[in-house]
Amino acid sequence: MKTSNIENPSSVMIAIAWCLAWGDERKPKHKPEVMRLMQQALNEGKEVPEEVQKLVEQVRQLQGIDKDYFPATLDELRSRYSELWHQTTRIGLVYGGATKIKQYVFESSKIQNIRGASALLDRINLIDLPAFFNKNPKLIQYTIQCNEVRKWLNKTICGQDQLSEALIPELIIYSTGGNILAFCPAAFVDDLANAIEKRYTEETLTANSCAVGDTFRLLEIRFGLLREPIENTLWLDWYRQEYKKPLVQAYFGNLDKNLEKSQTERCTNLAVSIEDAFADRKSFNELTTKLAILFNQRRSGHDFSTRASRRYPPMFETHPYLIRDGSDRRSAVMIVQPPKLPRESHFSEALARKHLVGNRAKKGSPQIPEWYKESQLEWERGIIESWVDRYNHFLGKNPSLQQKYYATLKADDIEIAQNLSHIANASKGFIAYIYADGNNMGGYIQKIRTPQKYQEFSRDVELATEYAVYYALAENLHPHKLQNLNDEESFLENGDLVHPFEIITIGGDDIILIVPANKALAIAKTIGERFEEILLKQVSLAESAESENITGCYKIKQENKPIDLKKCHRYKPTEAAPSQCQLSTSIGVLITAYNTPIYYAKDLTEQLLKSAKERAKKLKKAGYCGGTVDFLTMKSVTMISSDIKEFRQQALIKNLKPKLKLYAAPYTLHELGGLIGVVEALQNAKFPKSQLYQIRNLLERGKQTAILNYRYFRVRLKQKKQDLQEQFEEAWCQPKDSNNKGNLAPWIYDDGALEHDKSDYPLFETIWRDVVDLYDFIASPDDDSDAIETQMATTEAEL
């Protein structure tokens, strides 16, 4: 038999065939050479060995089931797929990864240690765990490292070369975002889960991790969990009778509630909806849900009978009379004095590993520093590919972006920013933390029915997230020359060129960046826009080997587009494009001084992200599925004590008549562009700063007082009044009645159309306070281009 009728067999098909061919025991059911020939033949579309032809045909039959097919009864399933029904060989599935990641990464307040912690977790997730499966690295320099990982795996877990022999690259469904999901021969499920947990612990010493696994029948991969015997499985006839019961709704979803919210064509018929709701759950999605439940149970300390408990996380004893390390959490094992490091540093072994990985040499790939060699610690960090290296690789494949970012400069002449003061040097001592997270990811995943679609979804989101960041950095930043630097903790000097950004992490749909404050909102806006455009394949990427594989199947159907854009956007709603992509990003942006404690900045940025996601959920009711951004400018560390939402409620909402809301955040991406346009219009109009602040202060006096003062100051402008009128008054401040030709500047009318509780509405909100806060942090395009040209000319002259 030939498999030529299987066009481009997926890695999922090869993975399932491999697990079936291995069997349920630790020793393979077929000879290793036969299994390798099968793997090679399936990859190349050739004839498979005779011994495995039957099981390959079964896998082909499973993969050939139409994505929209779902049997009405179990009898139909048995009669139509009899061979699959009677296939009893179990297939293992393992899910695991790091937990409490932010706790580990942000344990220290030093950027080098944060950078190192993030890079170490990335290396484990992207290099070490795939190496378990004999996956060949993209870069040749990782080959030795991957071989060492496989030796560790066999020695540590099995004591013999069994586990690595049982694993092949095609078994991996995804390994990104700090997690891995992979098939596995049934006998090695617990071994692989233990190996994942142990690798994180041995490499980081203190990071938490968790991994779980289970085995499933062949049919369960397509039709969800089945009872033993299969005939006892609850099926559609049962669900039609029980779907309104609370316990059933908790598992399958509230069908009546979904019918009310849904605007899709398939949910207009109740009978069709019941079948689809049941089919969405009874799929591969149900298997991953079971693993997620097991994962949460084990992470919480559940004691599994077949595995040792992980309820006791890694802990290191301390003593009141011993010196603590720099994070003040563990006892120090070494003290490093200048000049080996810029300042005296206390390291525990866990902190030393973070610092070593995050270490940045001035030129080229960093060597092992002398202080670590003298410590006599045996741990090796391996090869760490920095985010700047990946960024440069991306630019090398996209010449237009490379030219835009570097202009006439050479990549080898640019240093990596060693601390936050180098990034802040590009924006008068201020930086911005950007924290982005995907919207509607969980809802989309719930509709995925096959492991192949899981794989495609994970790859698409990973590429879109990473490339969106690179796009945003290339389009909005340029290498910066350090000036007036007074930094004793760095080896860089005035005149050195640096990359003015720090990528803490890009994993899955999560992004954490640090950028200059004056470019933060432009970068956030670009990330949100490019993320959607890449998923829709509206952006041409030269990374053809990967980007062309993006499925582009995330476009919203015509009937799902918003009907009334005025409910979605406060800024020029008629000019806004309807939502096109089912997935988007919410972004929190905190603009603050570079010396703001990182743990404090992280907490505030997370609050801003939460606020942006809440706004996105409300806008989704009106049909808007795009990105949202919330931001805060904090010029003083004591400006907000703890909670941003509470601060806004108490300080920025005035219970007057009418009720006034002195801010307008969060914004849609379209609105954010309009907000930036208002700031630029005010800068171009030379609107006096004193009057900006005076209008802001008078907002609290009431609606009419603020309108009168704004009109007074606006008519006194000597230039570019028309620009301000177009960008602010006509764009933002139109009255509710379209027949009314006046405007409410600086107010925006809000009738609470998106709110469930309308007791506080209508009210009037304003973007003026946000505009004033941003005024110093958005450089006008003319000033920005002049500064770039001056910097480039000076640099070229010095070179």
Side-chain angles (χ1 to χ4, degrees), residues 334-341 343-347 371-372:
M334 72 180 83
I335 300 176
V336 182
Q337 302 283 356
K340 295 175 183 176
L341 287 176
R343 60 179 300 177
E344 181 179 301
S345 301
H346 300 171
F347 291 126
W371 64 265
Y372 190 78

Side-chain angles (χ1 to χ4, degrees), residues 17-83:
W18 178 272
C19 292
L20 291 178
W22 188 281
D24 294 323
E25 305 298 329
R26 299 185 72 88
K27 294 292 184 181
K29 186 164 58 176
H30 298 280
K31 294 180 180 179
E33 54 268 24
V34 172
M35 298 184 62
R36 295 293 177 185
L37 286 174
M38 178 193 70
Q39 177 192 10
Q40 182 180 355
L42 288 174
N43 273 313
E44 298 175 357
K46 297 180 180 179
E47 183 177 0
V48 299
E50 183 179 355
E51 297 93 325
V52 293
Q53 286 180 3
K54 183 177 179 180
L55 64 87
V56 169
E57 176 59 27
Q58 291 177 350
V59 177
R60 184 194 68 79
Q61 188 178 17
L62 180 75
Q63 294 290 88
I65 299 175
D66 187 90
K67 63 182 180 65
D68 296 323
Y69 169 75
F70 194 83
T73 65
L74 289 172
D75 289 337
E76 178 187 337
L77 178 61
R78 176 168 52 187
S79 62
R80 193 161 182 175
Y81 299 103
S82 177
E83 288 192 21

Side-chain angles (χ1 to χ4, degrees), residues 45-263:
K46 297 180 180 179
E47 183 177 0
V48 299
E50 183 179 355
E51 297 93 325
V52 293
Q53 286 180 3
K54 183 177 179 180
L55 64 87
V56 169
E57 176 59 27
Q58 291 177 350
V59 177
R60 184 194 68 79
Q61 188 178 17
L62 180 75
Q63 294 290 88
I65 299 175
D66 187 90
K67 63 182 180 65
D68 296 323
Y69 169 75
F70 194 83
T73 65
L74 289 172
D75 289 337
E76 178 187 337
L77 178 61
R78 176 168 52 187
S79 62
R80 193 161 182 175
Y81 299 103
S82 177
E83 288 192 21
L84 304 186
W85 180 282
H86 292 99
Q87 173 59 263
T88 59
T89 301
R90 311 288 289 186
I91 297 171
L93 193 63
V94 174
Y95 172 70
T99 63
K100 299 183 179 179
I101 293 176
K102 295 185 183 66
Q103 175 181 301
Y104 173 74
V105 171
F106 292 97
E107 179 185 67
S108 171
S109 61
K110 298 295 183 182
I111 188 62
Q112 294 93 333
N113 301 331
I114 293 173
R115 176 195 293 138
S118 176
L120 183 53
L121 292 180
D122 280 341
R123 195 210 74 192
I124 296 172
N125 185 235
L126 302 176
I127 303 298
D128 293 9
L129 298 189
F132 288 1
F133 296 82
N134 298 284
K135 186 173 183 179
N136 294 324
K138 294 180 182 179
L139 302 178
I140 192 66
Q141 56 264 40
Y142 287 114
T143 302
I144 297 177
Q145 184 169 316
C146 291
N147 290 336
E148 292 297 323
V149 171
R150 284 188 280 272
K151 290 179 182 178
W152 172 90
L153 176 68
N154 293 321
K155 179 180 178 181
T156 305
I157 302 302
C158 293
Q160 51 185 307
D161 295 339
Q162 281 192 331
L163 186 51
S164 65
E165 290 181 358
L167 303 177
I168 58 173
E170 289 84 358
L171 293 171
I172 300 174
I173 298 175
Y174 67 77
S175 177
T176 184
N179 294 304
I180 185 170
L181 178 66
F183 289 109
C184 173
F188 296 99
V189 166
D190 287 347
D191 288 333
L192 181 56
N194 289 334
I196 292 171
E197 291 182 355
K198 192 164 187 176
R199 188 62 181 177
Y200 275 101
T201 301
E202 286 205 4
E203 291 299 294
T204 66
L205 298 180
T206 57
N208 285 273
S209 63
C210 181
V212 295
D214 204 347
T215 62
F216 305 96
R217 298 174 65 121
L218 183 59
L219 265 181
E220 289 180 304
I221 294 175
R222 181 61 179 82
F223 296 110
L225 298 175
L226 303 172
R227 291 184 176 181
E228 189 64 44
I230 299 178
E231 293 87 345
N232 293 339
T233 305
L234 299 176
W235 210 248
L236 262 175
D237 53 346
W238 165 84
Y239 182 63
R240 287 192 180 98
Q241 298 174 7
E242 308 289 338
Y243 76 91
K244 289 188 177 181
K245 292 186 176 180
L247 190 61
V248 177
Q249 289 180 344
Y251 190 75
F252 289 92
N254 190 329
L255 192 58
D256 293 334
K257 187 176 180 180
N258 291 339
L259 280 171
E260 294 175 3
K261 291 183 177 181
S262 178
Q263 298 177 2

Side-chain angles (χ1 to χ4, degrees), residues 270-301:
L270 181 59
V272 175
S273 298
I274 288 176
E275 182 175 328
D276 284 353
F278 188 75
D280 284 340
R281 171 57 75 179
K282 298 299 293 183
S283 63
F284 185 74
N285 176 271
E286 190 173 24
L287 274 57
T288 58
T289 300
K290 180 179 181 180
L291 292 184
I293 293 171
L294 294 174
F295 183 90
N296 290 330
Q297 289 175 343
R298 181 168 175 80
R299 182 173 60 180
S300 301

Side-chain angles (χ1 to χ4, degrees), residues 677-688 691 713-714 716-725 775 780:
V678 172
V679 176
E680 293 175 347
L682 287 170
Q683 292 172 337
N684 294 334
K686 307 297 182 185
F687 204 104
Q691 295 176 12
F713 288 121
R714 207 268 286 172
R716 295 182 61 190
L717 287 176
K718 297 180 179 179
Q719 57 181 342
K720 298 192 176 181
K721 295 181 184 180
Q722 187 65 28
D723 291 349
L724 183 59
Q725 182 177 348
Y775 193 85
S780 65

